[in-house]
Amino acid sequence: MLLRHTTADVMERSALTINPAKTCQPIGALYAALGVHNCLPHSHGSQGCCAYHRSTLTRHYKEPVMAGSSSFTEGSAVFGGQANLLQAITNMFAMYNPDIIAVHTTCLSETIGDDLVQIISKAREEGKVPPGKHVIHANTPSYIGSHVTGFSNMVKGIVTYLAENSGRKRNQVNIIPGWVEPSDMREVRRLSRAMGVNCNIFPDTSDVMDAPQTGRHEFYPRGGAPIEEIRHSGDSRSTLALGPTASEAAALKLEEKCEVRSEVLELPIGLVATDRFINALRHRSGIRVPGFITDERGRLVDMIADMHQYFYRKRVALFGDPDQLVSLTEFLVTLDMRPVYIVTGTPGKRFETRIREALGDSVPEAQIRQGPQADMFLLHQMIKKEGVDLLIGNTYGKYIARDEDIPFVRFGFPILDRVGHSYFPTVAYMGAMRLAEKILSAVMDRQDRNAPEESFELTM
Amino acid sequence: MVLYPIADALHLVHGPLGCAAYTWDIRGALSSGPQLHRLSFSTDLREMDVIQGGEKKLAKALCQLIDLHHPKAAFVYSTCIVGVIGDDVEAVCRQVSALKGIPVLPVHSEGFKGTKRDGYRAACEALLQLVGTGSTEGISPVSVNILGDFNLAGEVWIIRDYFEKMGIEVVATITGDGRVDDIRRAHGAALNLVQCSGSMMHLAKQLQEKRGIPFKRVSYFGIEDMAQALYDTAGFFADKSPGIVGRTAALVSQELSTIMPQIAQYRRKLEGRKAAVYVGGAFKAFSLVRALRQLGMDTVMVGSQTGLREDYEELRELCDEGTIIVDDSNPLELSSFLQEKRVDLFIGGVKERPIAYKLGVGFCDHNHERKEPLAGFTGMLNFAREVYNTVASPVWRLTPRGAMRDRS
């Protein structure tokens, strides 16, 4: 029992986090930057930060992750990191020839007060940024928010620096897909096109973080949103932001900067959320939903019908990032399951309200925990008090799943011990089918494993 | 990182949450007993703490954790931000130590204060506070400490077993499968054996200087180096322990007779294949070049992140002419060498694995993501098997490079 120290009684521990249910901002900023074509992300801080972020992203996506670091020394901590960053910008353009460098800060550079706007303009003045190339930044202090906040800040930074309103509207819709898998971004594009929407998706990590084996190591894989297209996002008719925590800030920035009106939707995970997404697309293109999409939905409903007898009233604990949790909660309710514990380490104002809305009046006993001490230790304590039939979350859930012997479905970030999550979408109808299949398999495998011989049955 | 395998100690990361999150149980340093080291504890510093300082929070977190887990000692890791906001971590550690009656040791591991190498030194300094605080009563004059093995996939157990079979007492394993009480009495050992020279050399040198304990640099990777390590140690104790050289020779020959037939089989299949090595420390690179040679493979590129000038000279001597030697390389350079030299195997760390796969090249993790023990004689067999499995995997025939080779 790795977690044998977990007690059922919850104690006060304001100064302490045990086994966190989140991580820090810069890694989210790095992931967002990878969704821009020919972009080299850069970590303005100590070398260790960048190494950890690259390792963690590599473990999850199983792809090479390229990024630079300002490699702070004691001198930079005292005198500021300007010299390091200027040098890094020169070197990176010379050696790696990116079209854009996306700098994010760290707790160290934030605390010593480096002014990124000033440093970047100094780099421009001194001719360190070749013509036609870009350097952008996002402030991502690690002691505020979480990795999702960092993602959101970088997407907002991308808009702040690159989006322009040329005065000529383009017949297109911006879609900000949120922190989802590359496969999810691809699926969002497929559906948007099928719905007749000329979409401008950014950031887009498909074909970057799920690049095919070609026999070559592409330093800049062919995917990623082209800078030109991001620039044109200021001319789009509207913006669809998927997932408020990850995508709303950028959508609002576009509204403010370029007067592109926006609509924020929950992530299209699960049947009802996907319906809303398809509907939003339909409103924009004005076309009827194509038959094959209706069929995908129909197959999902058919599958849920086939499964519903097994899901009825099962108690589920879930943890992870707010946007994923809200839509997942709604989907579980659709499946007639009971999400009883919902935990995120990411702070944010509307989370509880959103979850309550997703729950409706279906699970009055649901407990929602958020922020600093909403960690895996607390979730474990809740489960110890009253058990659940299923646990859904990232790889870190495996300790609880093993100690408490609970069926476990991996979902979210990071997944460090399996392969496949980055290739198969969980968004939209097909994604929902995959999720439902995974959930049912986890529950049934467990039932098979535990059944005494006389009730171990061929048909279930 | 170096201290974390001490399994009955509490490891608290003082800083924003991320620093603890990324280091949570990623190293596979196994413990035969307590598993406390595998949990992630953080003071989770936030904006207000950065302004007001984190000392109170640190003291509170420490007390709470010590009450909850009753560890034998506690290590507090300072992160970048702690160095900047100026928390007096040492004072807090002293207070809590006095209050709770266990050693509470600060580790000055602020990221900007240097590289991994400096972090190693900080770890050694913390260990030096522990060594010498326990009783050395009953320790055999024929005894060693094993320094610089972190018990990845259980490697220290293999090594320990060899020494015990030779009649040598192992006082402390530092830090793989380490225990606080063993480390406290480590100064009672007659000899320190240092592997992974980068991380533990400072501790060995200090123990020689202050306590007069000699040390030997050893490597447990590959048949030659492993045997050499055992013979060197036996030689050291030859006067005190009659028959030890004979026992060692018997042990080596018995181990070899078990593994050699299988190694020979792998060698037949791997003969002439090309390998590239890029690892953290140069000392490991030496061993790998020798081990690969044992398998009939040519190392056509070799490099390390933290090697010193004299290490590279030694590498140059060890390798064949034409071998590319790189220092602190970057992914662009590495992948172009891999292609240029048409390698079949790349040995590196977590970040390099997908680069190798993209190129259609087999990969072996010789870093902390190894899942099979690669040390010792058994480890050599595991290494041979792992190398063969990845080099000969049919998946590479599906890639452009494999298809080309099939045609030619």
Side-chain angles (χ1 to χ4, degrees), chain A residues 163-185:
Chain A
E164 281 173 20
N165 180 351
S166 72
R168 284 190 316 276
K169 277 285 173 206
R170 284 166 182 258
N171 187 20
Q172 63 179 23
V173 177
N174 302 321
I175 298 182
I176 307 177
W179 185 334
V180 290
E181 299 289 340
S183 51
D184 292 320
M185 301 192 185

Side-chain angles (χ1 to χ4, degrees), chain B residues 33-64:
Chain B
Q35 304 286 341
L36 185 56
H37 65 304
R38 297 185 56 191
L39 303 187
S40 171
F41 300 114
S42 166
T43 48
D44 191 4
L45 292 184
R46 285 189 295 274
E47 206 169 7
M48 286 315 286
D49 306 315
V50 172
I51 298 164
Q52 297 170 348
E55 290 175 19
K56 279 194 189 132
K57 212 171 178 184
L58 174 61
K60 205 168 159 188
L62 270 172
C63 290
Q64 216 160 24

Side-chain angles (χ1 to χ4, degrees), chain B residues 194-243:
Chain B
V194 197
Q195 197 194 218
C196 187
S197 48
S199 64
M200 285 287 148
M201 210 50 178
H202 180 63
L203 179 64
K205 282 183 177 161
Q206 288 290 309
L207 288 176
Q208 182 173 46
E209 212 171 282
K210 293 190 178 143
R211 307 258 176 194
I213 308 172
F215 67 86
K216 279 187 188 300
R217 267 173 87 162
V218 292
S219 165
Y220 309 125
F221 292 114
I223 292 169
E224 292 169 59
D225 289 7
M226 183 66 238
Q228 193 66 45
L230 298 183
Y231 284 130
D232 283 357
T233 313
F236 181 85
F237 290 115
D239 299 342
K240 289 188 205 161
S241 172

Side-chain angles (χ1 to χ4, degrees), chain B residues 59-118:
Chain B
K60 205 168 159 188
L62 270 172
C63 290
Q64 216 160 24
L65 281 169
I66 292 169
D67 291 345
L68 186 65
H69 294 288
H70 311 291
K72 296 269 188 180
F75 294 98
V76 177
Y77 302 88
S78 292
T79 58
C80 296
I81 203 159
V82 171
V84 175
I85 62 179
D87 279 359
D88 190 347
V89 176
E90 272 186 52
V92 175
C93 288
R94 266 199 310 275
Q95 283 161 19
V96 176
S97 180
L99 193 69
K100 298 288 174 189
I102 61 162
V104 179
L105 304 167
V107 185
H108 297 284
S109 45
E110 294 91 339
F112 61 87
K113 287 198 173 160
T115 61
K116 244 161 58 170
R117 194 178 273 283
D118 300 277

Side-chain angles (χ1 to χ4, degrees), chain A residues 382-403:
Chain A
M382 293 158 84
I383 291 173
K384 270 198 185 298
K385 261 238 141 79
E386 193 179 351
V388 291
D389 304 301
L390 177 70
L391 177 65
I392 305 181
N394 62 39
T395 287
Y396 290 111
K398 74 192 281 182
Y399 304 104
I400 297 177
R402 180 184 160 105
D403 275 13

